[in-house]
Amino acid sequence: MSESSTRTQGPGGPRPRLTRGRVLALCALPVVLLFVVALCAPLPYSLAQPGETANVLGKRGGKPVISVEGTRPRSEDGRDGKDKGRLLSVTIAATQPEATVRLPDVVRSWFREDRAVMPREAVYPGGGDTRDAERRIAQEMKNSQDKAVTAALRQLHVSPDDVDVTLRLGDVGGPSAGLFFALGIVDKLDGDGTGSGGLTGGRTIAGTGTIDGKGEVGPVGGIPLKTQAARRDGATWFLVPKSQCGEASAQLPSGLRLVPVSTLDGALDALEEIRTDGKIPHC
């Protein structure tokens, strides 16, 4: 009997070889899975955009943002040099602490000048949910207001026992309105110091910065977005903490000029230069 031309491989014989395509597919599979997980996984970031502005010399909810009692403030009925301009406190709007932010959201925001991707901890220090964040932000605003009142009255050499200042800014929170609260109080009480007008000289001036009781101005977050909000709402000047000039200049909107300040006294000097078209400091 002749030997068969076909041979049957036993179980221990050679196995079929993997093709190059199959090897590449197997190697790529973990990468694809990681990419899918990355797309779907929530990230510890908040997305922010330019927020609202508030004129601290105006009204909010039908009531003055700044009310002064106990000492005679400048008239608010158009006499005694009422300030015809605006001092705009600026904000950013950010996603809530519980909001789910995924990689596609981050990528889309990364390439837009009117959006920013910020570590959630930087926006909401201390963690927690929205209610926790609201409590902290409200307390920060209260502390900021107290310091603004102290700094403004100290600047004017007015005793806190002689005056009662009420500040209203609705649901806007955090400490970054401190400088402009202080400027608004000075404007309400003393105007430009001559009795002939207010601090703005009829201009729209925006800005941001924390303040302490001695009038020292400190840095804040979200500066590029705040400059966009300021220009959107008509400001041509922006008071910025001096230490943040570089950050503010990076994406400065056309038509907005930066004015660096480090103290309340320096901010008042800068406003005087703006009113009189004098030698205005710049970044």
Side-chain angles (χ1 to χ4, degrees):
M1 186 171 62
S2 63
E3 185 176 336
S4 173
S5 60
T6 56
R7 295 182 180 179
T8 304
Q9 291 184 341
R15 297 182 179 180
R17 295 178 62 187
L18 292 175
T19 65
R20 179 183 177 84
R22 289 182 177 179
V23 171
L24 290 176
L26 289 173
C27 292
L29 182 59
V31 177
V32 172
L33 291 175
L34 285 174
F35 182 71
V36 171
V37 171
L39 284 174
C40 299
L43 301 174
Y45 294 105
S46 288
L47 307 180
Q49 64 186 46
E52 63 180 4
T53 64
N55 178 20
V56 299
L57 303 180
K59 294 183 177 181
R60 196 172 183 88
K63 296 182 179 180
V65 173
I66 300 175
S67 299
V68 180
E69 297 179 358
T71 189
R72 184 178 180 275
R74 295 185 314 113
S75 173
E76 296 184 15
D77 61 5
R79 298 169 300 182
D80 297 338
K82 179 187 175 183
D83 199 328
K84 302 299 194 300
R86 296 187 297 163
L87 289 174
L88 298 183
S89 172
V90 293
T91 66
I92 62 172
T95 51
Q96 297 292 345
E98 300 97 332
T100 300
V101 176
R102 295 190 169 91
L103 184 60
D105 304 314
V106 172
V107 172
R108 282 193 296 268
S109 297
W110 195 269
F111 292 99
R112 293 183 57 173
E113 289 190 356
D114 63 343
R115 298 289 187 274
V117 180
M118 305 172 68
R120 187 173 296 154
E121 181 63 26
V123 181
Y124 301 107
D129 58 16
T130 298
R131 185 173 298 179
D132 295 328
E134 288 175 346
R135 281 196 294 264
R136 283 195 301 273
I137 290 172
Q139 185 59 52
E140 288 175 349
M141 172 61 87
K142 177 63 168 60
N143 294 340
S144 176
Q145 292 176 344
D146 292 343
K147 292 173 182 177
V149 172
T150 299
L153 298 184
R154 183 175 183 270
Q155 179 72 29
L156 297 175
H157 307 289
V158 174
S159 170
D161 298 329
D162 298 332
V163 64
D164 181 24
V165 180
T166 302
L167 304 175
R168 306 177 185 89
L169 208 52
D171 56 356
V172 177
S176 64
L179 170 61
F180 268 60
F181 269 140
L183 290 173
I185 295 167
V186 171
D187 190 284
K188 293 279 186 175
L189 285 171
D190 196 46
D192 62 4
T194 69
S196 63
L199 292 178
T200 69
R203 295 165 171 79
T204 296
I205 301 168
T208 188
T210 64
I211 200 165
D212 65 18
K214 295 181 179 180
E216 297 288 331
V217 176
V220 298
I223 289 283
L225 297 178
K226 290 179 178 179
T227 59
Q228 292 181 43
R231 189 69 189 108
R232 179 199 66 204
D233 290 357
T236 52
W237 304 91
F238 192 92
L239 304 189
V240 61
K242 188 174 182 178
S243 62
Q244 294 183 288
C245 268
E247 181 182 352
S249 300
Q251 297 179 5
L252 186 65
S254 175
L256 188 67
R257 182 169 176 179
L258 297 176
V259 181
V261 297
S262 55
T263 64
L264 174 58
D265 190 54
L268 292 169
D269 288 343
L271 290 179
E272 180 178 4
E273 297 296 332
I274 292 173
R275 285 195 307 275
T276 60
D277 296 318
K279 189 176 181 179
I280 305 164
H282 60 86
C283 289

